[in-house]
Amino acid sequence: MVEENCEELLSIRFIASEFPTGERHRGRIDTLGIDTEGNPTIIEYKKTENDNIINQGLFYLDWLVDHKGDFEVAAKKKLGNDIEINSDSVMKKLDKSKLYRL
């Protein structure tokens, strides 16, 4: 439901669901997207609140910093080669990150 309405609900364009993070990180990002400013966006869904979500977010941020090219390939494959990606702002976005309770 959220993925089909990412743009309307969160101003995020959907790129991928259950996006694999590879051998080193061995995880799957629930939803990968890009916001209206071209910033990579990671959405994780949880049924309960706990501190682990922060650790998981930092873990995926580490992946994103190391794999900007993988993000760009996925974004361009889904949204077209004309999509503007602001992957240099990944570290700056951490300070402005938002947690949504849906």
Side-chain angles (χ1 to χ4, degrees):
M1 173 103 177
V2 174
E3 289 178 345
E4 293 87 9
N5 298 293
C6 267
E7 200 157 0
E8 292 80 18
L9 292 171
L10 305 170
S11 298
I12 295 169
R13 294 179 70 188
F14 172 79
I15 294 173
S17 180
E18 293 295 316
F19 191 84
T21 59
E23 288 297 313
R24 180 174 156 229
H25 289 88
R26 296 183 184 204
R28 290 190 178 274
I29 296 170
D30 289 345
T31 300
L32 191 61
I34 191 165
D35 72 11
T36 56
E37 297 173 3
N39 298 301
T41 305
I42 294 170
I43 302 172
E44 284 296 310
Y45 307 102
K46 300 295 178 202
K47 291 182 181 180
T48 61
E49 291 183 42
N50 63 46
D51 295 333
N52 192 40
I53 187 67
I54 300 300
N55 291 334
Q56 190 174 13
L58 291 171
F59 181 77
Y60 289 143
L61 175 65
D62 180 56
W63 173 86
L64 191 53
V65 168
D66 288 345
H67 295 87
K68 290 179 188 178
D70 292 340
F71 176 84
E72 289 182 13
V73 167
K76 288 181 179 187
K77 183 177 179 180
K78 176 70 178 182
L79 303 173
N81 288 329
D82 294 336
I83 187 74
E84 289 191 35
I85 300 168
N86 189 11
S87 59
D88 292 333
S89 70
V90 170
M91 293 305 292
K92 294 177 198 169
K93 269 312 253 194
L94 181 61
D95 293 333
K96 298 178 182 177
S97 63
K98 300 173 189 172
L99 295 177
Y100 295 99
R101 183 178 295 162
L102 300 175

